[in-house]
């Protein structure tokens, strides 16, 4: 056992930053970040851009913590270029934790609609209410305290604690994983438990400084704008002189006959890091959709409080077989609708199909419309409503239903038929964000 432990320590040491290298790496990252960081709205002094409320005296850190929290949750699985406008609308509606805590779930979903992963928005509201009720409206100042809030995991807690309160803790997200697996030539799957522990150990060592928040943001920024997945700008990277992937060197286990747990002796190109686990094909479900119209209104139904797209509004849905039997789909939709509003004396018109891909599931929607002479009464049901057609896209309706609506109206962009809920990496030209970096290592 001792020999095995010693071997693992040797493997790990071959793939982590040395004590002598750490200070130089920190300074290089900070120098680069000070010059080239993007002017994102949550990095403003108050964290609130476009609102009329300045932070109250003594509440600057709490305001910043709230801003970092919202931005970090929004940026999960979503391009920053998309997030910015959502963030501004959110902060205009709820500039403080207390403002958010007083909101309704319907209001929160309406602002969030289009970002996907709606359970995140629900947990934001619950956590804000907990901060107000249990912490007098003040965000916890430590990673340990933040982890007790709904929806806040190790990454988000570390980001808030380090950036807002300068706690010396590191962060590990997709950008950080990409940078460190390349710098340290870690060719094992990034989800491997040993690799995960090594990455957290490395970032905690890097963040052991008076500017822990800036260090964390520097590594994330480097991964987002320079150390990109497919087209890394290695010549602009302040760490290129110690980057093992860039230098095309391999750290091999010195003990003959033993494979390194972190690289297996592999020699990869820069773009091949991090090594990813092969994904299983997402299952496909077929769903028939009925858009029930009555004059200038359409019928919407609220989804259950749990499960996929919980609590959001949708058209009438029915999971169906993938046999493309139009008549069968129509009968199933008529049956589903009649259980809600009574007998239908109308015919259904088919508009085609539209596909939407979630992170774990693909839906193929078979879209139909039906017109009624007048709206039926739904006042005794809070899960049904007649929505003006002009306001459908402004309701708390998810992206997949917006695509269904656009197909029925003939306004669906061709590329939207294969739009995914999982955002693509940032791909703006690198020159838009910074000048070439100086040699710092």
């Amino acid at each position: 056992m001792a020999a095995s432990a010693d071997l693992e320590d040797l493997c790990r040491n071959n793939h982590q930053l040395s004590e002598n290298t750490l200070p130089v790496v920190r300074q290089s990252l900070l120098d680069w970040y000070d010059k080239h960081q993007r002017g994102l709205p949550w990095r403003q002094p108050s964290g609130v851009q476009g609102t009329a409320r300045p932070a109250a005296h003594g509440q600057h850190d709490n305001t910043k913590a709230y801003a970092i929290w919202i931005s970090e949750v929004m940026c999960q699985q979503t391009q920053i270029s998309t997030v910015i406008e959502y963030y501004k609308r959110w902060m205009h509606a709820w500039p403080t934790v207390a403002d958010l805590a007083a909101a309704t779930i319907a209001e929160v979903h309406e602002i969030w609609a289009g970002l996907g992963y709606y359970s995140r928005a629900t947990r934001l509201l619950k956590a804000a209410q907990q901060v107000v009720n249990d912490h007098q409206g003040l965000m916890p100042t430590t990673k340990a305290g933040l982890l007790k809030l709904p929806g806040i995991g190790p990454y988000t807690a570390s980001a808030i604690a380090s950036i807002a309160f300068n706690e010396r803790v590191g962060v590990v997200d997709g950008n950080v994983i990409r940078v460190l697996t390349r710098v340290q030539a870690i060719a094992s799957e990034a989800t491997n438990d040993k690799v995960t522990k090594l990455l957290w150990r490395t970032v905690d060592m890097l963040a052991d400084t008076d500017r822990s928040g800036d260090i964390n943001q520097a590594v994330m920024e480097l991964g987002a704008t320079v150390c990109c997945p497919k087209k890394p700008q290695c010549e602009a990277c302040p760490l290129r002189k110690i980057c093992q992937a860039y230098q095309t060197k391999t750290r091999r286990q010195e003990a003959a006959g033993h494979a390194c747990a972190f690289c297996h002796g592999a020699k990869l190109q820069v773009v091949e890091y991090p090594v990813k686990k092969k994904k299983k094909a997402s299952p496909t479900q077929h769903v028939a959709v009925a858009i029930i119209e009555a004059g200038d209104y359409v019928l919407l139904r609220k989804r259950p409080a749990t499960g996929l797209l919980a609590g959001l509004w949708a058209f009438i849905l029915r999971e169906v077989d993938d046999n493309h039997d139009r008549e069968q789909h129509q009968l199933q939709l008529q049956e589903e609708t009649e259980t809600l509003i009574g007998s239908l004396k109308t015919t259904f018109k088919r508009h085609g199909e539209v596909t939407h891909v979630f992170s774990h599931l693909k839906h193929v929607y078979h879209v139909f419309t039906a017109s009624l002479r007048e709206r039926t009464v739904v006042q005794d049901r809070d899960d049904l409503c007649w929505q003006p057609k002009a306001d459908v896209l402004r309701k708390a309706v998810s992206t997949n239903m917006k695509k269904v609506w656009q197909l029925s109206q003939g306004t669906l962009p061709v590329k939207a038929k294969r739009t995914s809920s999982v955002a693509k990496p940032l791909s703006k030209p690198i020159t838009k964000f910074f000048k070439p970096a100086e040699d710092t290592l």
Side-chain angles (χ1 to χ4, degrees):
M1 290 292 293
S4 176
D6 290 343
L7 180 61
E8 185 171 323
D9 287 341
L10 179 58
C11 294
R12 185 185 301 108
N13 290 336
N14 283 337
H15 293 277
Q16 71 179 14
L17 302 175
S18 69
E19 291 291 341
N20 292 332
T21 305
L22 278 170
V24 184
V25 172
R26 286 193 198 102
Q27 195 58 52
S28 298
L29 285 169
L30 291 172
D31 289 346
W32 175 85
Y33 182 69
D34 288 343
K35 292 180 181 179
H36 306 303
Q37 62 175 288
R38 291 168 292 177
L40 302 173
W42 46 88
R43 288 178 180 164
Q44 305 305 312
S46 68
V48 183
Q49 191 177 73
T51 65
R53 298 188 189 183
H57 178 69
Q59 297 298 308
H60 174 79
D61 285 349
N62 193 59
T63 304
K64 186 174 183 181
Y66 174 62
I68 296 302
W69 176 33
I70 300 303
S71 67
E72 290 295 344
V73 174
M74 285 186 171
C75 286
Q76 293 169 17
Q77 302 292 341
T78 308
Q79 296 182 52
I80 286 182
S81 56
T82 299
V83 166
I84 289 174
E85 290 306 315
Y86 278 93
Y87 175 85
K88 289 179 179 178
R89 287 199 296 271
W90 182 286
M91 285 300 186
H92 181 76
W94 308 297
T96 69
V97 179
D99 293 325
L100 174 58
T104 66
I105 189 61
E107 291 169 337
V108 169
H109 280 166
E110 188 167 348
I111 292 287
W112 191 272
L115 277 177
Y117 302 93
Y118 290 85
S119 59
R120 293 181 296 170
T122 301
R123 288 193 290 266
L124 278 172
L125 178 58
K126 290 181 179 178
Q129 292 168 343
Q130 186 169 317
V131 168
V132 169
N133 294 333
D134 299 344
H135 301 279
Q136 293 74 52
L138 298 177
M139 296 282 291
T141 60
T142 65
K143 178 179 179 179
L146 289 160
L147 282 170
K148 296 177 182 179
L149 297 177
I152 293 187
Y155 163 73
T156 306
S158 296
I160 299 169
S162 63
I163 298 171
F165 304 111
N166 213 32
E167 184 179 2
R168 296 189 177 194
V169 290
V171 299
V172 174
D173 73 344
N175 289 318
V176 174
I177 290 171
R178 186 163 55 256
V179 171
L180 294 183
T181 54
R182 290 173 177 177
V183 169
Q184 299 170 242
I186 300 173
S188 284
E189 289 180 357
T191 54
N192 179 296
D193 286 343
K194 291 181 179 179
V195 172
T196 299
K197 290 178 182 178
L198 176 60
L199 292 173
W200 276 104
R201 178 178 177 178
T202 301
V203 296
D204 282 340
M205 292 168 64
L206 276 172
D208 189 14
T209 173
D210 291 338
R211 294 183 63 186
S212 58
D214 287 341
I215 279 288
N216 287 331
Q217 291 184 96
V219 182
M220 291 190 286
E221 189 84 338
L222 191 66
T225 61
V226 177
C227 196
C228 305
K230 295 182 179 179
K231 295 182 180 180
Q233 306 294 319
C234 295
E235 293 303 322
C237 179
L239 303 182
R240 66 185 178 278
K241 288 192 174 182
I242 64 160
C243 179
Q244 294 184 48
Y246 179 67
Q247 300 297 334
T248 65
K249 294 178 180 179
T250 302
R251 295 278 191 175
R252 295 181 180 274
Q253 178 54 45
E254 296 177 2
H258 295 280
C260 173
F262 300 102
C263 73
H264 309 295
K267 186 175 182 179
L268 305 179
Q269 299 297 316
V270 172
V271 294
E272 295 178 287
Y273 293 93
V275 175
K276 298 180 180 179
K277 193 173 185 177
K278 290 185 178 179
K279 292 183 178 180
K280 295 180 181 179
S282 299
T284 299
Q285 289 182 353
H286 289 256
V287 181
V289 186
I291 300 176
I292 308 299
E293 304 174 337
D296 293 329
Y297 290 82
V298 293
L299 182 65
L300 295 180
R301 183 184 189 183
K302 182 177 287 189
R303 293 185 59 80
T306 59
L308 185 66
L309 305 175
L312 296 180
W313 292 92
F315 302 111
I316 308 305
L317 308 176
R318 177 78 174 261
E319 187 174 342
V320 296
D321 294 331
D322 60 353
N323 55 17
H324 298 277
D325 187 331
R326 299 182 185 183
E327 291 186 2
Q328 184 65 25
H329 292 170
Q330 179 177 328
L331 287 173
Q332 289 173 306
L333 282 173
Q334 182 167 342
E335 179 183 85
E336 186 75 21
T337 306
E338 288 183 343
T339 63
L340 301 174
I341 60 174
S343 178
L344 293 178
K345 295 180 179 180
T346 185
T347 58
F348 285 81
K349 176 183 177 181
R350 185 177 183 276
H351 292 269
E353 301 173 0
V354 62
T355 299
H356 189 79
V357 182
F358 299 93
S359 61
H360 62 296
L361 178 69
K362 181 168 76 172
H363 272 182
V364 178
Y365 296 103
H366 304 266
V367 182
F368 296 80
T369 56
S371 296
L372 306 181
R373 290 185 177 180
E374 58 184 8
R375 285 176 281 162
T376 57
V377 177
V378 295
Q379 62 185 15
D380 294 332
R381 300 192 56 155
D382 58 7
D383 63 336
L384 294 175
C385 76
W386 287 100
Q387 182 75 9
K389 291 181 179 179
D391 295 333
V392 166
L393 297 184
R394 289 193 287 271
K395 189 74 171 173
V397 174
S398 57
T399 300
N400 58 337
M401 289 297 99
K402 291 178 180 178
K403 289 162 66 174
V404 165
W405 176 251
Q406 290 171 332
L407 177 66
S408 73
Q409 302 301 301
T411 59
L412 179 69
V414 174
K415 65 177 182 178
K417 293 187 178 182
R418 292 195 175 274
T419 298
S420 168
S421 288
V422 180
K424 298 178 180 178
L426 187 67
S427 57
K428 289 185 178 181
I430 205 68
T431 52
K432 286 186 176 293
F433 297 123
F434 54 80
K435 301 174 183 177
E438 295 87 352
D439 286 339
T440 53
L441 285 175

